[in-house]
Amino acid sequence: MAAADLLYEEDLFCPQCSEIYCVPVRLKCGHNICRVCLHKFWEWKGCRECPVCRTVCVPGRPPVNLALKIAADEYQLRRSSGDQDVCCFHNEKFTLFCQNDEEPVCIICQMSREHKVHECGPLEEAAKEKKTQALQNEKVIKEEFQKLHQFLWEEEKKRLKLLKQEEEVRTQVMWEKLENIRDQIRGVASIISDIEGALRGEDLKFLKDYKKTKKRVQCNIREPECIRDILINSAKHLGSLKFAVYKSMAKLVEYVPITLDPNTAHSNLELSEELTCVQYSRRQLLPDNPERCTSRLCVLGAAGLASGKHSWTVQVGQSKEWYIGVVRESVQRKSTVFLNPAEGFWVIGLCNGNGFWAQTSPPTKLVLKQRPERITVVLDCDKGKVVFINAADLTTIHTFKDRFTEKIFPYVSTGLYDEGKICSRLTICPLTITLNVE
């Protein structure tokens, strides 16, 4: 067996420079350090002590750890060889994928202390699952951007149409004014022609028509009209164009304070594309990753909350069964547990359509004046409070008080689907988006 097979990867890196060991020496305290790193540290420190534990070293030159040097050299050689299909530690082909660490492992790695309690599966299955998930995400992203592109194309067409309409109106006005000027020119030209004819005629006739001719000469010729606002109103079309489009786009965009995490969803739950709605559905083939909840029909929020005050509203509608609230990060996700604070759940719910309960130990019956359809969850991590509020009349439904010692995640759980009945959805309500200009 090669020397590197007896060690773990982290054992092959110098604690001082964080690189693969180069001539490691062993100190009396048991720590190994690159010889060059050790001497540099001693020169900087001005004394002979271990860079890891600060134990004073005995005089003399520390011995080279030959076994560690051989293992480090073999590991470095394997890394530089570029063989990505073989485990650097055990020289075995990668055949498994560790779901916990999300990395390929060999059969010996699976039995090692590092991966022994981890969930490992065939490499081909893991690759297929990851590729499928990536393709699905790619499809949704493309569809969402296609909607945004379509909006921008429609906005561009609308604005160009308005510009074209203004151009046509102003062009028509110009043509009408020009035609009036041409009419006046034609009238003046006609008078000039008649006068020139009269001047060339007989004197007697000229004198007889003199008054009439004189009157025609004295006709009132108006100055050309000064036309205002005949140019395209560029300021209207171009001024703050991006901001105007941004304001219009705000009507298209929704923002929710929390996003549901599909990697935690039970395989019988279906999430909307933007991960804001969940409902019961037929069972899907999903990887049993450590984050996924398999004991209950639930899904967690994507982001953990560790401090500050947070709130979100859930549309429960006319669902006959649901549970909403928060849970701590370390709750049991694979085995059945009770929904109570002792197990890390701060949750209220409607059971079988006939009773509202706060999931305390034992459960507390909630007496409500009206059935809530939208419930706001207010989490204060610093004060250790979870408050449930009826969004319709802002009355408090229930309050939990506790002490949070780890990250807290939003929790949403649906009821089972009754055959022949409509499957209700639980939806995270979007917030109102406002644009402030300072």
Side-chain angles (χ1 to χ4, degrees):
M1 182 180 291
D5 295 347
L6 301 173
L7 298 166
Y8 296 97
E9 183 176 5
E10 61 268 22
D11 296 331
L12 302 177
F13 290 84
C14 172
Q16 184 68 8
C17 65
S18 300
E19 299 291 338
I20 300 172
Y21 279 116
C22 178
V23 191
V25 295
R26 184 178 182 86
L27 303 178
K28 185 179 180 181
C29 58
H31 292 116
N32 295 286
I33 309 290
C34 290
R35 184 163 61 188
V36 173
C37 294
L38 181 64
H39 287 296
K40 285 183 178 180
F41 178 78
W42 283 354
E43 289 178 5
W44 172 80
K45 191 72 175 177
C47 62
R48 298 166 60 92
E49 64 178 32
C50 173
V52 179
C53 64
R54 299 296 189 264
T55 300
V56 177
C57 302
V58 297
R61 180 181 297 177
V64 174
N65 188 334
L66 188 59
L68 182 58
K69 182 181 186 305
I70 294 172
D73 291 345
E74 288 182 359
Y75 179 64
Q76 179 68 38
L77 182 63
R78 290 175 188 172
R79 287 187 65 176
S80 60
S81 67
D83 189 355
Q84 301 296 321
D85 296 332
V86 177
C87 175
C88 295
F89 304 108
H90 309 112
N91 205 24
E92 294 283 342
K93 195 174 184 64
F94 288 126
T95 56
L96 301 171
F97 185 79
C98 175
Q99 295 287 359
N100 298 67
D101 293 335
E102 296 187 326
E103 63 182 11
V105 295
C106 71
I107 190 68
I108 300 177
C109 288
Q110 185 191 20
M111 295 183 291
S112 67
R113 69 181 183 187
E114 185 177 359
H115 298 281
K116 190 173 184 179
V117 296
H118 290 179
E119 182 181 350
C120 299
L123 200 65
E124 295 78 9
E125 289 184 9
K128 185 177 179 180
E129 290 173 356
K130 298 295 183 184
K131 289 179 180 179
T132 302
Q133 186 181 26
L135 289 173
Q136 289 174 342
N137 289 340
E138 180 182 346
K139 178 176 177 289
V140 173
I141 290 172
K142 286 184 176 179
E143 288 175 352
E144 291 302 314
F145 272 94
Q146 182 61 36
K147 293 176 184 177
L148 296 175
H149 293 159
Q150 186 64 35
F151 167 81
L152 291 174
W153 289 330
E154 293 295 332
E155 189 73 14
E156 179 185 3
K157 285 171 58 179
K158 182 177 71 175
R159 291 177 177 275
L160 290 176
K161 183 179 179 181
L162 291 174
L163 176 62
K164 186 66 175 177
Q165 288 174 348
E166 183 176 341
E167 179 188 14
E168 291 173 352
V169 169
R170 296 185 185 277
T171 301
Q172 182 63 30
V173 171
M174 284 291 294
W175 278 111
E176 291 175 357
K177 299 300 182 183
L178 286 172
E179 192 60 35
N180 289 337
I181 293 173
R182 290 193 187 100
D183 289 343
Q184 290 186 45
I185 293 172
R186 284 193 290 268
V188 172
S190 176
I191 293 172
I192 294 171
S193 178
D194 292 345
I195 293 173
E196 287 177 345
L199 291 172
R200 289 193 297 269
E202 297 179 357
D203 294 343
L204 180 60
K205 182 173 175 49
F206 172 75
L207 293 174
K208 284 182 178 181
D209 296 334
Y210 178 74
K211 288 184 178 180
K212 183 179 178 181
T213 303
K214 182 179 178 182
K215 186 175 182 180
R216 290 189 67 186
V217 171
Q218 293 175 347
C219 67
N220 184 23
I221 301 177
R222 291 172 296 172
E223 290 288 334
E225 182 182 354
C226 181
I227 306 173
R228 295 183 178 276
D229 298 327
I230 198 61
L231 299 178
I232 296 293
N233 189 349
S234 299
K236 181 181 75 173
H237 295 285
L238 302 180
S240 300
L241 177 60
K242 294 185 183 68
F243 179 72
V245 175
Y246 176 56
K247 283 178 63 178
S248 299
M249 186 177 287
K251 302 172 185 176
L252 178 72
V253 177
E254 288 187 341
Y255 172 76
V256 293
I258 66 166
T259 301
L260 302 177
D261 184 0
N263 293 338
T264 67
H266 189 279
S267 56
N268 276 106
L269 294 183
E270 179 183 358
L271 273 63
S272 64
E273 287 187 347
E274 291 199 345
L275 309 178
T276 58
C277 303
V278 59
Q279 66 180 19
Y280 185 83
S281 71
R282 61 180 177 81
R283 187 175 183 84
Q284 306 169 75
L285 183 61
L286 298 174
D288 187 18
N289 50 301
E291 302 85 5
R292 192 171 307 284
C293 301
T294 57
S295 63
R296 291 187 178 274
L297 289 166
C298 66
V299 59
L300 306 187
L305 308 171
S307 62
K309 193 173 183 178
H310 311 270
S311 68
W312 58 94
T313 300
V314 183
Q315 177 86 34
V316 296
Q318 297 298 318
S319 300
K320 300 298 182 183
E321 185 170 334
W322 49 261
Y323 296 93
I324 61 173
V326 299
V327 299
R328 66 183 176 215
E329 185 175 18
S330 62
V331 291
Q332 293 295 325
R333 307 187 186 198
K334 308 297 183 184
S335 57
T336 303
V337 292
F338 293 104
L339 293 180
N340 60 51
E343 301 288 350
F345 294 81
W346 295 269
V347 172
I348 67 169
L350 172 62
C351 183
N352 297 324
N354 58 14
F356 294 93
W357 298 85
Q359 298 301 310
T360 53
S361 183
T364 302
K365 177 79 171 180
L366 300 175
V367 181
L368 306 179
K369 294 181 180 179
Q370 62 178 7
R371 176 173 177 154
E373 293 192 1
R374 291 188 304 129
I375 298 175
T376 299
V377 183
V378 180
L379 168 67
D380 192 327
C381 297
D382 302 324
K383 293 184 178 180
K385 289 176 62 176
V386 186
V387 184
F388 297 87
I389 300 171
N390 185 341
D393 57 11
L394 301 182
T395 56
T396 299
I397 298 174
H398 186 75
T399 300
F400 287 98
K401 292 184 178 181
D402 214 320
R403 182 172 175 267
F404 304 135
T405 57
E406 57 184 273
K407 282 186 178 181
I408 301 297
F409 287 78
Y411 177 90
V412 178
S413 176
T414 67
L416 292 170
Y417 171 67
D418 294 329
E419 194 66 34
K421 294 185 179 180
I422 297 175
C423 183
S424 299
R425 296 159 63 101
L426 300 181
T427 304
I428 310 299
C429 298
L431 301 180
T432 302
I433 299 176
T434 59
L435 299 176
N436 297 321
V437 180
E438 297 182 353

